[in-house]
């Protein structure tokens, strides 16, 4: 089964934008080899105008949601989880009026086992660190420290 990929219109309304936002670019503007690896049967859903994913190794399910006014840079991300399963409807289910019409038309049921969800709901420029935490670029703590936010007890 092929990967299930949903790139929302605000993320990439055209191919030019898609090329700019997915995969580390190499000389000549192309995507570097192996920068994006989405395993068969995996699910990727990206929503947000200013999202850049340089490298992704996905075996499972990943959803990225970035609010308007925020940006997210993902330098490198590895996701391993149970993901989603596309379960075909039985012949009996296909004929049954008890099964919703949209499922009968589709012919399968989506079973969501596990999804890694990354949400940026605060304006600003963010980076996904290698440990999976979100780091706000250029932010300062309320105590004047130059440490990046979120950082210290001053926001607790």
């Amino acid at each position: 089964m092929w990967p299930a990929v949903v790139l929302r219109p605000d993320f990439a309304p055209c191919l030019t934008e898609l090329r700019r936002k997915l995969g580390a670019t190499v000389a000549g503007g192309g995507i570097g080899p192996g920068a994006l690896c989405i395993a068969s049967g995996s699910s990727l859903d990206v929503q947000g105008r200013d999202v850049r994913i340089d490298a992704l190794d996905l075996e499972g399910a990943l959803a990225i949601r970035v609010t308007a006014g925020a940006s997210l840079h993902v330098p490198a991300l590895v996701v391993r989880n149970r993901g989603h399963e596309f379960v075909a409807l039985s012949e009996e289910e296909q004929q049954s009026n008890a099964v919703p019409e949209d499922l009968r038309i589709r012919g399968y049921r989506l079973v969501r086992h596990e999804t890694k969800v990354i949400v940026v709901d605060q304006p600003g420029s963010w980076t996904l660190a290698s440990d999976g935490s979100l780091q706000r670029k250029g932010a300062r703590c309320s105590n004047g420290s130059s440490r990046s936010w979120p950082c210290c007890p001053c926001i607790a």
Side-chain angles (χ1 to χ4, degrees):
M1 168 181 253
W2 295 94
V5 178
V6 177
L7 303 175
R8 309 290 174 140
D10 62 344
F11 171 69
C14 65
L15 188 56
T16 302
E17 282 293 301
L18 183 62
R19 283 185 179 142
R20 185 177 70 79
K21 293 179 175 186
L22 284 181
T25 55
V26 294
I31 295 175
L36 301 173
C37 181
I38 303 173
S40 177
S42 294
S43 301
L44 172 65
D45 185 355
V46 182
Q47 180 178 11
R49 179 177 296 243
D50 197 0
V51 179
R52 167 119 180 114
I53 303 171
D54 289 344
L56 173 63
D57 184 359
L58 175 61
E59 242 181 69
L62 170 64
I64 297 175
R65 303 277 181 266
V66 178
T67 192
S71 68
L72 175 64
H73 177 221
V74 181
L77 179 61
V78 176
V79 175
R80 299 280 186 270
N81 59 38
R82 291 185 57 213
H84 302 162
E85 182 179 3
F86 296 87
V87 179
L89 297 180
S90 68
E91 196 60 41
E92 183 179 291
E93 288 174 309
Q94 285 281 4
Q95 304 303 320
S96 172
N97 286 334
V99 176
E101 184 180 21
D102 62 321
L103 289 181
R104 292 192 319 252
I105 291 170
R106 190 179 307 136
Y108 66 87
R109 174 179 286 109
L110 180 64
V111 179
R112 298 173 193 266
H113 296 292
E114 188 178 358
T115 305
K116 168 134 179 105
V117 179
I118 298 168
V119 177
V120 176
D121 55 5
Q122 303 273 327
S125 185
W126 299 83
T127 298
L128 187 68
S130 59
D131 66 359
S133 67
L134 288 170
Q135 303 287 321
R136 190 170 188 172
K137 295 182 199 172
R140 292 191 172 270
C141 292
S142 60
N143 70 3
S145 156
S146 63
R147 294 170 59 187
S148 64
W149 184 91
C151 60
C152 58
C154 66
I155 61 167

